[in-house]
């Protein structure tokens, strides 16, 4: 029995494509490096992805709504410096973590205010704050690196529960909450409407500016959370924390099927995109040990993923138009 057009459309969802690519990468890795796929090895290696994982949740919502945030990595640098300064003054990892998260939230709120009030394109706003936050972090720290935060604090990134990192449990809970928000709440569905047509969404009564403000504030909050995990993992806080993370996170979100033009994307796709990049990077760095090759392959994955997704969307759109005529 032949499949209907709608059945093929469901099969060729972007998430399915990324899932197939992920299985292919893991299969190749398992054949060339059997020890790479051992559960113990995978759980230990997973510690390297949780900071980007939290950042990707906020970026997914922002990009679905038609925005972008290039400053999340530099926000982490400023948050790390504030963590180090607070710990030097008070010696409390808990208080320092609160200051770190509050700093990230304030940075995100500033981004959101500028985007909502000035009506400038988010690319321009966050490109400016990308440089500003990193510059402030480096100016305040003067190259100082803070460390020695205690063994208990390091357990946040290194600790395990039921054989799974604590950060992984936190991310699983957060990702589930974000997926429910996107798919089951009016506010979540309004993000897709804003991404499709911001002006029409405003005319229909959706508070576009207010939603954009809170999206960027949430992204800043998650940058602060990611910084705490990052510092816990390395036991070091410095102005270069999160350097280059913004490009990796945006790549993961776009590879996961979130349209850079807005209006399309899922949390499941973002998680699959993260896993694909994470596993590809680790396998290449351990098998070939060539950093340049790793960057080239990730770049090709991004291009192929976006092109293939556009071809599928265009094909079904053309077919739908033919049926209507």
């Amino acid at each position: 029995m032949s499949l209907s057009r709608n059945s093929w459309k469901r099969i060729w969802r972007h998430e399915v494509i990324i899932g197939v690519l992920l299985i292919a990468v893991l299969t190749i890795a398992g054949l060339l490096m059997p020890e790479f796929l051992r559960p113990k090895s995978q759980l230990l290696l997973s510690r390297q992805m949780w900071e980007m994982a939290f950042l990707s949740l906020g970026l997914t919502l922002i990009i679905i709504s038609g925005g972008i945030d290039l400053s999340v990595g530099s926000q982490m640098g400023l948050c790390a410096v504030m963590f180090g300064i607070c710990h030097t003054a008070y010696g409390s990892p808990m208080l320092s973590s609160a200051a770190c998260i509050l700093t990230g939230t304030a940075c995100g709120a500033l981004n959101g205010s500028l985007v909502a009030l000035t009506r400038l394109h988010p690319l321009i706003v966050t490109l400016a704050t990308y440089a500003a936050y990193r510059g402030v972090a480096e100016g305040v720290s003067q190259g100082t690196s803070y460390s020695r935060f205690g063994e208990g604090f390091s357990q946040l990134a290194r600790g395990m529960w039921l054989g799974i990192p604590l950060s992984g449990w936190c991310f699983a809970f957060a990702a589930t909450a974000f997926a429910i928000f996107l798919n089951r709440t009016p506010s979540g569905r309004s993000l897709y409407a804003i991404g499709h047509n911001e002006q029409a969404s405003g005319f229909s009564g959706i508070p576009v500016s207010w939603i954009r403000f809170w999206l960027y504030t949430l992204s800043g909050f998650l940058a602060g959370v990611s910084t705490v995990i990052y510092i816990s993992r390395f036991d070091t806080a410095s102005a270069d924390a999160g350097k280059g993370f913004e490009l990796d996170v945006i790549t993961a979100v776009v590879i996961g099927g979130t349209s850079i033009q807005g209006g399309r994307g899922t949390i499941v796709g973002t998680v699959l995109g993260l896993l694909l990049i994470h596993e590809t990077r680790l396998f290449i760095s351990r098998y070939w040990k060539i950093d340049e090759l790793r960057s080239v392959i990730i770049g090709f994955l991004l291009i192929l993923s976006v092109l293939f997704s556009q071809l599928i969307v265009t094909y079904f759109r053309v077919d739908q138009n033919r049926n209507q005529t």
Side-chain angles (χ1 to χ4, degrees):
M1 183 176 63
S2 61
L3 292 172
S4 66
R5 187 71 63 182
N6 288 333
S7 298
W8 279 113
K9 189 173 181 179
R10 286 194 294 269
I11 290 173
W12 286 107
R13 285 177 62 90
H14 194 98
E15 293 85 350
V16 176
I17 299 168
I18 298 303
V20 171
L21 285 175
L22 178 60
I23 292 172
V25 169
L26 292 176
T27 301
I28 295 171
L31 292 174
L32 297 178
M33 291 182 64
E35 67 276 6
F36 180 78
L37 292 185
R38 291 174 183 169
K40 185 176 181 180
S41 298
Q42 284 292 308
L43 288 173
L44 290 174
L45 294 173
S46 70
R47 293 174 178 173
Q48 302 180 28
M49 69 175 285
W50 302 122
E51 300 94 31
M52 288 198 300
F54 278 99
L55 291 177
S56 70
L57 295 177
L59 259 296
T60 300
L61 301 189
I62 288 175
I63 295 176
I64 286 175
S65 69
I68 193 72
D69 190 352
L70 299 177
S71 68
V72 287
S74 55
Q75 286 180 44
M76 287 183 64
L78 184 55
C79 290
V81 170
M82 293 304 297
F83 183 101
I85 292 174
C86 188
H87 191 271
T88 301
Y90 302 103
S92 169
M94 184 173 294
L95 182 62
S96 302
S97 298
C100 175
I101 294 174
L102 183 61
T103 300
T105 305
C107 290
L110 177 59
N111 284 347
S113 299
L114 291 173
V115 170
L117 296 177
T118 66
R119 301 286 178 163
L120 289 173
H121 195 283
L123 177 67
I124 303 299
V125 172
T126 58
L127 184 61
T129 55
Y130 160 82
Y133 295 150
R134 186 71 68 183
V136 171
E138 293 174 351
V140 170
S141 67
Q142 293 294 310
T144 302
S145 181
Y146 308 90
S147 59
R148 298 180 181 178
F149 304 118
E151 184 63 29
F153 177 69
S154 67
Q155 289 303 306
L156 177 63
R158 304 175 190 175
M160 297 276 196
W161 185 56
L162 299 179
I164 298 175
L166 295 176
S167 303
W169 286 108
C170 294
F171 174 73
F173 175 80
T176 302
F178 272 66
I180 293 173
F181 168 76
L182 263 182
N183 294 291
R184 302 296 181 185
T185 67
S187 297
R189 302 307 299 176
S190 68
L191 299 187
Y192 292 99
I194 295 172
H196 278 297
N197 193 318
E198 180 178 340
Q199 188 174 15
S201 299
F203 287 143
S204 66
I206 297 175
V208 176
S209 296
W210 187 245
I211 288 175
R212 286 202 183 280
F213 169 78
W214 281 110
L215 286 180
Y216 283 93
T217 302
L218 176 62
S219 179
F221 169 80
L222 292 171
V225 172
S226 298
T227 306
V228 173
I229 297 173
Y230 181 91
I231 295 172
S232 175
R233 182 159 67 96
F234 290 104
D235 197 33
T236 301
S238 60
D240 63 353
K243 200 166 188 177
F245 274 29
E246 50 278 308
L247 296 179
D248 288 339
V249 173
I250 292 172
T251 300
V253 173
V254 174
I255 281 181
T258 300
S259 173
I260 200 67
Q261 298 175 348
R264 181 163 54 90
T266 63
I267 297 297
V268 172
T270 293
V271 172
L272 290 173
L274 276 167
L275 290 173
L276 179 61
I277 289 181
H278 174 70
E279 295 295 335
T280 302
R281 283 183 180 277
L282 290 178
F283 170 64
I284 293 173
S285 63
R286 278 158 177 74
Y287 188 76
W288 283 290
K289 301 179 181 179
I290 303 175
D291 292 338
E292 294 79 6
L293 178 62
R294 181 178 60 184
S295 300
V296 169
I297 291 179
I298 293 297
F300 273 113
L301 280 176
L302 175 60
I303 293 172
L304 291 174
S305 173
V306 173
L307 284 177
F308 195 74
S309 177
Q310 286 297 111
L311 287 173
I312 294 298
V313 170
T314 303
Y315 172 75
F316 284 109
R317 185 179 297 160
V318 170
D319 183 76
Q320 184 178 13
N321 292 336
R322 286 176 179 172
N323 291 336
Q324 290 177 350
T325 57

